Amino acid sequence: MVLLDDVLASNAKISAALPPGLVAVFAGATTGIGESTLKTFVRYAIKPRIYLMARSSPSAQRVISECKEINPDADLHFVKVDLSFVKETDRACDEIKSREKTVNVIVLSAGELLLDRQLTKEGLHHFLTATYYTRLRIAQNFIPQLETASKTSPIARVLNVAGGTKEGEVDTTDLPALRMPFTRIRPHITSMISLVFETLSDQAPTVSFIHDFPGAVPTPLGHETPGFLGMLYRIFMWTLKYPLYRWVCVPIKESGERHVYLATSARYPPREGNAVGVPLQGGTDVESGTDGGKGSGMYAVDWDCDNRSSSVVPVLDRLRKKGVKELVWEHTNGEFVRIANS
Ligand SMILES: NC(=O)c1ccc[n+]([C@@H]2O[C@H](COP(=O)([O-])OP(=O)(O)OC[C@H]3O[C@@H](n4cnc5c(N)ncnc54)[C@H](OP(=O)(O)O)[C@@H]3O)[C@@H](O)[C@H]2O)c1
């Protein structure tokens, strides 16, 4: 476990250890964990330039004006996009790329709890678009800018907030998760995310990638989810939030601090190169990645910023040996090509 004091001590060094003018892209920061992470980042970084990918203009404008109050030197831009759609996501990334040659940090936390099996008009499982497909797409679209950052600055990193350390079986006969019961989607999609981010790390070894599970964080997630399953989820979250809060929940402010730590600390370096982030304090060590290697560039970590390598590494090892890493990559990119050509 990384102690909260160590997280705070590392974050307090951001202004001295990282240069002014860092460029960051946040997708899903109009509420919840993303919003808390964005505001924490804005508080520590010197003159950051931030692109907020969001679908609601009033929500984005609210967050931007609150960030300006925290740090008047922060330069924030709203990029309107519905991340349920791959083509829209590409257009939004192109808009940012037309303005930036370098991107230092990407934080991906967009998603809704949609417990029906609706398809988007692009033919993808709606629940998985913003939580899986377009997250990979954003990271993939910005690889050249991240690689430039890795050669010209001390930080080049992608942080994906989802289910890291909860990896499990992948059903290779139903990769788009159109038929499996909802109870099986979490381990399935969590492994798919970790495997595609491993592939990105293979392709861009000077950039580091983190897939984390944030723990139970009280946010608006699931508030709008319709139906019986939505109601069950809200009852479950109510139990966590009220009677069990102090034992089970990660407070939203702590979550913001922990995610900024994940996005900036040298505990999670890339496999190659010098863009390692804020130097480690005494007592902390470099994390091992999803392949078990120390500092191997792609990390799955739990709510406490620590890996659970004894459970994650064997699961992913088994999947890699069965060729699932390649299958997942081919499926996902096949969908991107199909959509681009439609
Ligand atoms: N909170 C937890 O306890 C918990 C636990 C485990 C995993 N997670 C995962 O962590 C991530 C963040 O969760 P959270 O609790 O912070 O959720 P949240 O408060 O509901 O935030 C989700 C964010 O995603 C945005 N978003 C959703 N769909 C979008 C779309 N199609 N296009 C653009 N933006 C979209 C929302 O924007 P709008 O303002 O437009 O709705 C909001 O900013 C999720 O993937 C969640 O599954 C959360």
Side-chain angles (χ1 to χ4, degrees), residues 28 30-33 55 82-84 109-111 135 162 213 215 217 219-221:
T30 49
T31 60
I33 297 163
R55 62 185 164 179
D82 185 341
L83 297 165
S84 306
S109 63
R135 292 194 189 192
F213 173 71
V217 186
T219 70
L221 184 71

Side-chain angles (χ1 to χ4, degrees), residues 29 31 78 87 107 135 164 193 198 208 228 230 247 338:
T31 60
F78 166 45
K87 278 186 179 169
V107 179
R135 292 194 189 192
I193 294 170
E198 275 190 1
S208 58
F228 180 65
W247 295 282
R338 176 184 65 72

Side-chain angles (χ1 to χ4, degrees), residues 126-137:
H126 196 171
F127 174 42
L128 299 188
T129 50
T131 49
Y132 173 67
Y133 290 99
T134 59
R135 292 194 189 192
L136 172 67
R137 193 63 173 167

Side-chain angles (χ1 to χ4, degrees), residues 48-94:
R49 194 155 59 253
I50 290 160
Y51 294 88
L52 174 55
M53 298 174 90
R55 62 185 164 179
S56 155
S57 177
S59 306
Q61 295 308 342
R62 175 189 61 79
V63 172
I64 286 175
S65 61
E66 288 170 13
C67 285
K68 291 292 282 182
E69 276 173 32
I70 296 168
N71 181 348
D73 290 334
D75 182 13
L76 294 114
H77 303 268
F78 166 45
V79 180
K80 188 168 172 56
V81 54
D82 185 341
L83 297 165
S84 306
F85 302 106
V86 176
K87 278 186 179 169
E88 257 200 57
T89 303
D90 283 347
R91 182 207 37 80
C93 291
D94 286 345

Side-chain angles (χ1 to χ4, degrees), residues 23-36:
V23 178
V25 175
F26 281 77
T30 49
T31 60
I33 297 163
E35 178 182 355
S36 178

Side-chain angles (χ1 to χ4, degrees), residues 284-306:
T284 41
D285 198 2
V286 167
E287 191 67 291
S288 38
T290 47
D291 61 357
K294 213 162 225 206
S296 59
M298 159 57 202
Y299 307 87
V301 296
D302 212 332
W303 72 271
D304 57 359
C305 309
D306 220 341

